[in-house]
Every structure is written in C-alpha cells, then in structure tokens.
Amino acid sequence: MYQADVMSSDERRAAASLASVFAFRMLGLFMVLPVLATYGAELDGATPLLIGMAIGAYGLTQAFLQIPFGMLSDRIGRKPVIIGGLLIFALGGLVAGQAESIHGVLAGRILQGAGAIAAAIMALVADLTRDQHRTKAMAMIGMSIGLSFAIAMVAGPLIAGFAGLAGVFYTTSVLALVGIALVGLVVPTPRQVQHHRDAGVVRGAFLPALANRDLLRLNYGIAVLHALLMACFVALPLALQEQAGLPREEHWWVYLTALLLSFVAMVPLIIYAERQRRIKRVVLGAILLLALTQPVMWLTMTSLSGLVAAIILFFTAFNVLEATMPSMLSKIAPAGSKGTAMGIYSTSQFAGAALGGILGGAVYGSFGLGGVFICCALLAISWLAIGATMGEPPYVTSYRLAVDPILVRDEALLRRVLDVPGVAEAIIVAEEAAAYIKVDTQLLDREQLDRVIAPGTNTAHTGGE
C-alpha cells in the first residue's frame, strides 16, 4: 500500500495560504493592466512609449531578480525573502500611487517587479509538502494565478472609476501587506530549508537547459505570449474607449464576459490535449487563433460587439496556451531539471512582458492602434513558424521517490530503475537520497518500481506535472 493520498492539515494550510499570497501579489500586478493606457494618458509627461513601458516594466526587474532571489532563499530562508519581496512590492505601489507623472509610475512599476518572490514561494511549497502532494499544492497556486487575473480585469476598472489610478496602486500595496500578514501568521515555518530539483535551480543543469532546443521553443513561446498580452493592453483599452465608444469605467464587463466564456471554451480543449495526447495540435491551433484575432480586433474596433467577440477569442487562445505550456515543459525537461527549466521559462515570460509593453507603446506612438495589432499578429506568426518545428512531447509524468539509504550509492540502482517498464528517464541524487524519474503512467509497473527503489518498504510519490 502507498501512503494515504490525503494532504495533512499543515500541508493544506501551507498550500492554501501560499496560493493566497501568490494571488494577492499577482492581483496587484494585473489590476493595472486594463486601466493604465486610459488613465495614464492624464499623467504629466505621458507618451505612448512611456505608458507601454509602465505597463510592462515590472517584467524587467522580475526577469533579472527571480532566479537570484530563489537562490538567496536557499541561504537565508524562504520567509525573509518572501516578506522582503512583498515589502518592496508595497513600496512600489506607494511610489506609483503618489506619482503625478508617468516617470513616477514607471519607477513604481519597476519597484513592484523587484519584489520577485515567485521562486521563493515555489521552494517554500516544496519545503512544506511531501513529495506525493507537491503537485496538488503547485496546482492550487496555478489556479490562484488564473483567478487573480480574472478578478484583476474586473477590479482594476471598477477601482479606477471610483478612486482613480492612484487608488489602484494603493490597493496593490494593501494586498501586499495582507500577503505579509499571511506569511507571518498563517504560513507554517519549515523545519529546514531543502533544495528540491523540481522546485529550484540547479547550477549544473542551467547550461544544458539553455541549450535544449525543445525548451528554447517553449521559452520563446512564453516570451511572445506575454509580449502579446502587454502590447494588447496598450491598445485594447484605447480601442474600447476611443473607437467602440465604451467609457473606461465600464470596461470591466467586457473583460469579465471574455474571461468567463474563454474559461468555459478552454476546458474541453485542454482535456482533449492531455487525454488524446494531442498537445502539439492544440497549441498550434491556439497560436494560430492568437494571430488571427489581432487583425480582427483592428478591423472591428468601431463595433463594440465585434471587438468583444475578438477579445473573447483572444483570451480563449491565451488561456489555453497559459495552461498547456507548463505541462509541456514538465514533459520535456530532463529528469531532475524541471525546477531549472521552469526558472528559465519564467524569466523568459517576464522578459517578454517587459519587451511587449515597450513594443506596444512604441508602435502605437508611430503607427496607431492598427499598427499594434498588426505587430502582434506578426509576432504570433513567428511563434507559429517556430512551434511547427517541434515534435509531439513525450507523455510522461515526473516523480521524486525517496530511495532506501542503503541502496542510494549502489551503482547498479540506476540501471535497474531504467529497466522498469514505463520508466523513460531517471537520475539518482545521493545527497537527497532520492530518485527523479519520468514515467509513462499507462505503461508503468509501479509495484516493480517500488521493489527496486525500496525493497520491503512503502514509497511515496509525487503526482506528475
């Protein structure tokens, strides 16, 4: 028998509280997106380029600091890094809220991004959950990010309509302080900081991950996806207000409608991709849809119903890609290197967000709204061309198994593990007394694997991606 597949109360508390901390922070970042293009134009010194830079600026400092902050948390502890990052984020909100010029808002957004705590939170999740429940905890955080994005798209315009752009930024600071309270009062403190290869960066795996062509395609893709998102938020709020005639205070219902319908539409696509093992087909279809929605937005700008329909299609494609690409990374990343691959992937995502804001603002300033949408379409087409060269990913699941300490230094253990039916890749990490394994669950002989890893004992396992 395996250990009971039930999270303990401490694990549930850790997962729920850390998911909430992550959500509050992302909510603060996202709330600005639907309002900065319309309200930011009233700031002193505002230009399309500077507004675009302010929209994506958080990604620049996030990209540079996320991996270093994660490594710092290995040395000084997770909670000090997380609390410090949230304090920086709160300070950024105050700086932007008090700003009367676009330059002040830009400085505040750069500060907000400097609170780069994503890697530290993921590492703390790994410290506070057993192997067999870690994926559930990570999934809770993933769902909290999606929920925070949906809430932010509605809350941003509503708060801005009531309290202005400054009110939005002050709200982000309050959310950061709530996150600090959760970390200090609710999140359990781990007995010891551990380094998990599936949740943190491994120095020896860094260069191989950068050289992996399949991972490079994913990194390019996530950078383009978030560049498109930031560039679109330079143009979409302005198109809704200036072309379709919808007051900026009422934009919330457009985003709410688009996100609700897109969530409904994406579920069957994701189920099809995973169960029928057709991820490549679904991903390429979503990229094509991204490319097609851009000229449609341009051509329907003066029709509110047409523009809303195009926004729904855009968010459907975006949500499908946002949900499936991490699963692809988990399948492609070599055994024991998922944390490193995810760190590079996240850095690419934030770098794409920064570049997308700059690109959207620059193109809008020179070529107008239509230029932004056409530029986004060309970016999506470039991704489609690169994505078409990828193969179907291996449909494998990642496991981290505790290894019997007596066996961990047995040089023949790795060969015996690889001989188990269904095992595709494996490495043995002696210092962790653990094996990182990738398996095809449809072929895996789990009982044989248990006998090989820890004969005569019960072993625990993680649940996959």
Side-chain angles (χ1 to χ4, degrees), residues 10 47 72 144 283 343 352 416:
D10 283 346
T47 66
L72 181 63
S144 76
V283 165
R416 293 198 299 270

Side-chain angles (χ1 to χ4, degrees), residues 90-110:
L91 177 62
L94 291 177
V95 169
Q98 294 176 353
E100 296 182 357
S101 71
I102 189 63
H103 300 92
V105 169
L106 180 58
R109 288 289 278 174
I110 290 173

Side-chain angles (χ1 to χ4, degrees), residues 35-47 51 102 105 165 248:
V35 299
L36 194 49
T38 51
Y39 287 83
E42 300 170 357
L43 294 167
D44 292 342
T47 66
I51 289 174
I102 189 63
V105 169
L165 184 60
R248 60 189 182 182

Side-chain angles (χ1 to χ4, degrees), residues 225 228 285-295 313-315 317-318 321 376-377 380 383:
L225 183 63
L228 288 174
I287 298 171
L288 178 61
L289 183 58
L290 273 184
L292 293 175
T293 56
Q294 301 303 314
L313 293 175
F314 171 80
F315 277 116
F318 177 86
L321 291 164
C376 287
W383 181 15

Side-chain angles (χ1 to χ4, degrees), residues 91-460:
L91 177 62
L94 291 177
V95 169
Q98 294 176 353
E100 296 182 357
S101 71
I102 189 63
H103 300 92
V105 169
L106 180 58
R109 288 289 278 174
I110 290 173
L111 261 180
Q112 285 187 317
I117 59 172
I121 289 180
M122 293 302 186
L124 184 54
V125 170
D127 291 339
L128 293 171
T129 55
R130 290 168 290 169
D131 291 342
Q132 68 267 37
H133 299 305
R134 192 158 301 129
T135 298
K136 299 175 190 175
M138 297 294 188
M140 290 175 66
I141 288 177
M143 288 187 290
S144 76
I145 295 173
L147 182 61
S148 67
F149 183 77
I151 294 173
M153 293 301 100
V154 177
L158 288 175
I159 294 172
F162 177 74
L165 184 60
V168 175
F169 282 116
Y170 289 141
T171 301
T172 68
S173 295
V174 171
L175 291 171
L177 296 177
V178 173
I180 291 172
L182 283 172
V183 174
L185 301 175
V186 182
V187 176
T189 299
R191 293 186 181 92
Q192 61 180 353
V193 171
Q194 302 179 27
H195 191 73
H196 300 264
R197 286 172 170 257
D198 280 349
V201 173
V202 179
R203 295 180 186 273
F206 195 80
L207 290 178
L210 283 176
N212 186 304
R213 291 186 178 183
D214 292 328
L215 292 176
L216 283 174
R217 291 188 187 95
L218 282 180
N219 295 334
Y220 180 77
I222 196 63
V224 168
L225 183 63
H226 282 261
L228 288 174
L229 183 67
M230 295 303 128
C232 281
F233 272 111
V234 172
L236 278 178
L238 295 172
L240 286 168
Q241 177 179 278
E242 298 174 0
Q243 301 296 318
L246 184 68
R248 60 189 182 182
E249 296 81 7
E250 298 181 23
H251 288 190
W252 65 269
W253 69 259
V254 174
Y255 300 121
L256 178 61
T257 301
L259 287 166
L260 287 176
L261 292 179
S262 66
F263 281 140
V264 171
M266 81 171 187
V267 171
L269 292 172
I270 293 173
I271 292 174
Y272 169 77
E274 291 288 349
R275 291 187 179 176
Q276 301 300 317
R277 301 194 167 189
R278 293 290 186 270
I279 285 184
K280 178 181 177 180
R281 181 180 301 178
V282 170
V283 165
L284 292 180
I287 298 171
L288 178 61
L289 183 58
L290 273 184
L292 293 175
T293 56
Q294 301 303 314
V296 172
M297 288 178 184
W298 176 33
L299 296 173
T300 61
M301 282 193 301
T302 56
S303 167
L304 181 59
S305 58
L307 186 55
V308 170
I311 293 172
I312 292 170
L313 293 175
F314 171 80
F315 277 116
T316 298
F318 177 86
N319 288 329
V320 167
L321 291 164
E322 189 80 350
T324 54
M325 290 177 68
S327 176
M328 290 183 69
L329 181 141
S330 182
K331 291 172 170 58
I332 292 170
S337 298
K338 187 169 73 173
T340 305
M342 183 58 74
I344 297 170
Y345 173 90
S346 297
T347 298
S348 302
Q349 170 185 321
F350 294 126
L355 293 174
I358 295 170
L359 182 64
V363 173
Y364 172 62
S366 298
F367 302 103
L369 295 176
V372 176
F373 293 127
I374 295 303
C375 181
C376 287
L378 293 175
L379 266 178
I381 291 170
S382 75
W383 181 15
L384 184 64
I386 291 173
T389 65
M390 70 180 178
E392 194 73 41
Y395 287 86
V396 292
T397 297
S398 299
Y399 287 85
R400 181 184 183 274
L401 304 178
V403 178
D404 189 318
I406 298 174
L407 297 176
V408 73
R409 299 189 183 280
D410 183 349
E411 295 181 359
L413 177 61
L414 179 59
R415 178 184 53 78
R416 293 198 299 270
V417 171
L418 291 170
D419 286 342
V420 174
V423 174
E425 294 180 50
I427 65 167
I428 308 296
V429 183
E431 57 268 28
E432 295 182 31
Y436 290 86
I437 303 175
K438 304 188 76 171
V439 305
D440 185 331
T441 55
Q442 293 184 5
L443 302 175
L444 178 65
D445 185 335
R446 182 55 203 249
E447 292 184 359
Q448 181 179 340
L449 179 60
D450 283 347
R451 290 194 299 270
V452 169
I453 292 291
T457 66
N458 298 323
T459 54

